[in-house]
Coordinates of all heavy atoms in Angstrom, one line a residue:
F151 N 5.8 19.7 33.3 CA 5.9 18.3 33.8 C 4.5 17.7 33.9 O 4.4 16.5 34.1 CB 6.6 18.2 35.1 CG 8.1 18.5 35.0 CD1 8.8 18.7 36.2 CD2 8.7 18.6 33.8 CE1 10.2 19.0 36.1 CE2 10.1 18.9 33.7 CZ 10.8 19.1 34.9
D152 N 3.5 18.5 33.8 CA 2.1 18.0 34.0 C 1.8 17.0 32.9 O 2.1 17.3 31.7 CB 1.1 19.1 34.0 CG 1.1 20.0 35.2 OD1 1.8 19.5 36.2 OD2 0.5 21.1 35.2
G153 N 1.2 15.9 33.2 CA 0.8 14.9 32.2 C 1.8 13.8 32.0 O 1.6 12.8 31.2
V154 N 3.0 13.9 32.6 CA 4.0 12.8 32.5 C 3.6 11.7 33.4 O 3.5 12.0 34.7 CB 5.4 13.3 32.8 CG1 6.4 12.1 32.8 CG2 5.8 14.4 31.8
P155 N 3.2 10.5 33.0 CA 2.7 9.5 33.9 C 3.7 9.2 35.0 O 4.9 8.9 34.8 CB 2.5 8.3 33.0 CG 2.4 8.9 31.6 CD 3.3 10.1 31.6
A156 N 3.1 9.2 36.3 CA 4.0 8.8 37.4 C 4.4 7.4 37.4 O 5.4 7.0 38.0 CB 3.2 9.2 38.7
D157 N 3.7 6.5 36.7 CA 4.0 5.1 36.7 C 4.9 4.7 35.5 O 5.2 3.5 35.4 CB 2.7 4.3 36.6 CG 1.9 4.4 37.9 OD1 2.5 4.6 38.9 OD2 0.6 4.2 37.8
L158 N 5.4 5.6 34.8 CA 6.4 5.3 33.8 C 7.6 4.6 34.5 O 8.0 5.0 35.7 CB 6.9 6.5 33.1 CG 6.2 7.0 31.8 CD1 6.8 8.3 31.3 CD2 6.1 6.0 30.8
P159 N 8.3 3.7 33.8 CA 9.6 3.2 34.4 C 10.5 4.3 34.7 O 10.5 5.3 34.0 CB 10.1 2.3 33.3 CG 8.9 1.8 32.5 CD 8.0 3.0 32.6
A160 N 11.3 4.2 35.8 CA 12.0 5.4 36.3 C 12.9 6.0 35.3 O 13.0 7.3 35.2 CB 12.8 5.0 37.6
L161 N 13.7 5.2 34.6 CA 14.6 5.7 33.6 C 13.8 6.5 32.5 O 14.2 7.6 32.1 CB 15.5 4.6 32.9 CG 16.5 4.0 33.8 CD1 17.2 2.9 33.0 CD2 17.4 5.0 34.4
A162 N 12.8 5.9 32.0 CA 11.9 6.5 31.0 C 11.3 7.8 31.5 O 11.2 8.9 30.8 CB 10.9 5.6 30.5
R163 N 10.8 7.8 32.7 CA 10.3 9.1 33.3 C 11.3 10.2 33.5 O 11.1 11.3 33.1 CB 9.6 8.7 34.6 CG 8.8 9.9 35.2 CD 7.8 9.5 36.3 NE 7.0 10.5 36.7 CZ 7.1 11.3 37.8 NH1 8.2 11.0 38.6 NH2 6.3 12.2 38.1
A164 N 12.5 9.8 33.9 CA 13.6 10.8 34.1 C 13.9 11.4 32.7 O 14.0 12.6 32.5 CB 14.8 10.1 34.6
Q165 N 14.0 10.6 31.7 CA 14.3 11.1 30.3 C 13.2 12.0 29.8 O 13.4 13.0 29.2 CB 14.5 9.9 29.4 CG 15.0 10.2 28.0 CD 15.7 9.0 27.4 OE1 16.7 8.5 27.9 NE2 15.1 8.5 26.4
K166 N 11.9 11.6 30.0 CA 10.8 12.4 29.6 C 10.8 13.8 30.3 O 10.5 14.8 29.7 CB 9.5 11.7 29.9 CG 8.2 12.4 29.5 CD 8.1 12.7 28.0 CE 7.8 11.5 27.2 NZ 7.5 11.7 25.8
L167 N 11.1 13.8 31.6 CA 11.1 15.0 32.4 C 12.2 15.9 31.9 O 12.0 17.2 31.8 CB 11.2 14.8 33.8 CG 10.0 14.1 34.5 CD1 10.3 13.8 35.9 CD2 8.7 15.0 34.4
L168 N 13.4 15.3 31.6 CA 14.5 16.1 31.1 C 14.1 16.7 29.7 O 14.5 17.9 29.4 CB 15.7 15.3 31.0 CG 16.4 14.9 32.3 CD1 17.4 13.7 32.2 CD2 17.1 16.1 32.9
D169 N 13.5 15.9 28.9 CA 13.1 16.4 27.6 C 12.1 17.5 27.7 O 12.2 18.6 27.0 CB 12.5 15.3 26.8 CG 12.0 15.7 25.4 OD1 12.8 16.1 24.6 OD2 10.8 15.7 25.1
R170 N 11.1 17.4 28.6 CA 10.1 18.5 28.8 C 10.8 19.7 29.3 O 10.4 20.8 28.9 CB 9.0 18.0 29.8 CG 8.1 16.9 29.3 CD 7.0 17.5 28.4 NE 6.0 16.5 28.1 CZ 4.9 16.3 28.8 NH1 4.7 17.0 29.9 NH2 4.0 15.4 28.5
A171 N 11.7 19.6 30.2 CA 12.4 20.8 30.8 C 13.2 21.5 29.7 O 13.1 22.7 29.6 CB 13.4 20.3 31.9
E172 N 13.8 20.7 28.8 CA 14.6 21.3 27.8 C 13.7 22.1 26.8 O 14.0 23.2 26.4 CB 15.4 20.3 27.0 CG 16.3 20.8 25.9 CD 17.0 19.8 25.2 OE1 16.9 18.6 25.6 OE2 17.7 20.1 24.2
R173 N 12.6 21.4 26.4 CA 11.7 22.0 25.4 C 10.9 23.3 26.0 O 10.6 24.2 25.3 CB 10.7 21.0 25.0 CG 11.3 20.0 24.1 CD 10.5 18.7 23.8 NE 9.3 19.0 23.1 CZ 8.6 18.0 22.5 NH1 9.0 16.8 22.6 NH2 7.5 18.3 21.8
A174 N 10.8 23.3 27.3 CA 10.1 24.4 28.0 C 11.1 25.5 28.4 O 10.7 26.5 28.9 CB 9.4 23.9 29.2
G175 N 12.4 25.3 28.1 CA 13.4 26.3 28.5 C 13.7 26.3 30.0 O 14.1 27.3 30.5
L176 N 13.3 25.3 30.8 CA 13.5 25.2 32.2 C 15.0 24.9 32.5 O 15.6 24.1 31.7 CB 12.6 24.2 32.9 CG 11.1 24.5 32.7 CD1 10.3 23.3 33.3 CD2 10.7 25.7 33.4
P177 N 15.5 25.4 33.6 CA 16.9 25.0 33.9 C 17.0 23.6 34.4 O 16.2 23.1 35.2 CB 17.2 26.0 35.1 CG 15.9 26.3 35.7 CD 14.9 26.4 34.5
A178 N 17.9 22.8 33.8 CA 18.1 21.4 34.1 C 19.6 21.2 34.5 O 20.4 21.5 33.6 CB 17.7 20.5 33.0
A179 N 19.8 20.8 35.7 CA 21.2 20.7 36.1 C 21.9 19.6 35.2 O 21.4 18.5 35.2 CB 21.3 20.3 37.5
P180 N 22.9 19.9 34.5 CA 23.6 18.9 33.7 C 24.3 17.9 34.6 O 24.7 18.3 35.7 CB 24.6 19.8 32.8 CG 24.9 21.0 33.7 CD 23.6 21.3 34.4

Side-chain angles (χ1 to χ4, degrees):
F151 293 167
D152 290 345
V154 177
D157 290 335
L158 275 177
L161 291 180
R163 187 162 186 259
Q165 190 158 292
K166 177 64 71 173
L167 292 175
L168 286 165
D169 178 66
R170 289 281 189 92
E172 180 181 358
R173 289 165 68 164
L176 298 175

